[in-house]
């Protein structure tokens, strides 16, 4: 007749799974911060895991990694990113290739788009069939904008190019319009940028 503690909860999980979860608990439940995944395209593809905790942490991320060609054709593999530098058996060396780690939104992680990927995204996004993957891309664009790692003009280009072609009303209504009105408006100071954003929000 008392309140359960975290130790009680983890103990019940360990009993049900017959696994020791102490290391996982330390890294995921008792450590703050969010890791960032950074892609180095090539053959094989390399994904860096950058620790987002103020203390040393080594969180393993079990994710789907997808590479797209310039027409949106996808090839995916499952990967466990347990090291700071991880090789993934995908060829992303071709021109116009775009790699999306955690393309099924399976882990708690940020995705940092490099400069090449950021300029590819506006035209590629409408060609990605999977709505979850598109939502992950939009989330990465938002994070890049908020952390000043993405040119606001690139974000605006993605909005004006890809958003009118987005078929998922949930993505448009609950995510993108909030980003456009709340986030992008704070970063787009040039009059021509603001007029494009305002026209887009009015249209949608």
């Amino acid at each position: 007749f008392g309140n359960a503690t975290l130790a009680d909860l983890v103990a019940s999980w360990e009993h049900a799974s017959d696994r020791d979860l102490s290391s996982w608990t330390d890294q995921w439940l008792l450590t703050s911060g969010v890791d960032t995944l950074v892609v180095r395209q090539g053959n094989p593809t390399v994904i860096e895991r950058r620790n987002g905790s103020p203390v040393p942490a080594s969180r393993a991320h079990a994710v789907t990694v997808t590479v797209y060609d310039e027409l949106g054709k996808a090839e995916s593999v499952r990967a466990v990113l347990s090291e700071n530098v991880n090789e993934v058996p995908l060829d992303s060396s071709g021109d116009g290739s775009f790699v999306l780690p955690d393309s099924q939104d399976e882990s708690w992680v940020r995705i940092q788009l490099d400069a090449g990927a950021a300029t590819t995204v506006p035209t590629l996004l409408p060609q990605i069939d999977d709505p979850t993957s598109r939502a992950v891309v939009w989330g990465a664009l938002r994070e890049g904008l908020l952390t000043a790692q993405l040119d606001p003009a690139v974000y605006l280009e993605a909005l004006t190019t890809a958003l009118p072609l987005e078929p998922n009303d949930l993505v448009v209504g609950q995510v993108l319009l909030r980003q456009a009105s709340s986030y992008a408006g704070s970063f787009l100071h040039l009059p021509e940028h603001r007029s494009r954003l305002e026209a887009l929000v009015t249209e949608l």
Side-chain angles (χ1 to χ4, degrees), residues 35-59:
D35 291 347
T36 299
L37 301 182
V38 182
V39 173
R40 297 206 309 254
Q41 294 190 192
N43 188 15
T45 297
V46 174
I47 300 178
E48 297 181 20
R49 184 200 67 88
R50 296 182 180 173
N51 178 30
S53 173
V55 299
S58 182
R59 305 180 184 97

Side-chain angles (χ1 to χ4, degrees), residues 127-156:
Q127 302 181 72
I128 297 177
D129 291 332
D130 182 40
T132 299
S133 297
R134 293 197 306 273
V136 171
V137 174
W138 283 111
L141 288 169
R142 177 199 62 207
E143 290 294 331
L145 184 69
L146 294 178
T147 57
Q149 294 173 329
L150 180 71
D151 185 342
V154 173
Y155 185 84
L156 178 61

Side-chain angles (χ1 to χ4, degrees), residues 75-106:
E75 180 182 357
S76 300
V77 297
R78 293 285 300 164
V80 177
L81 309 177
S82 57
E83 306 295 333
N84 290 337
V85 178
N86 306 268
E87 290 189 353
V88 179
L90 285 172
D91 183 359
S92 58
S93 60
D95 292 340
S97 294
F98 170 65
V99 179
L100 185 61
D102 195 20
S103 60
Q104 291 303 298
D105 198 21
E106 296 161 301

Side-chain angles (χ1 to χ4, degrees), residues 57-80:
S58 182
R59 305 180 184 97
H61 299 275
V63 297
T64 300
V65 181
T66 303
V67 60
Y68 300 91
D69 67 14
E70 66 277 7
L71 299 178
K73 182 180 178 181
E75 180 182 357
S76 300
V77 297
R78 293 285 300 164
V80 177

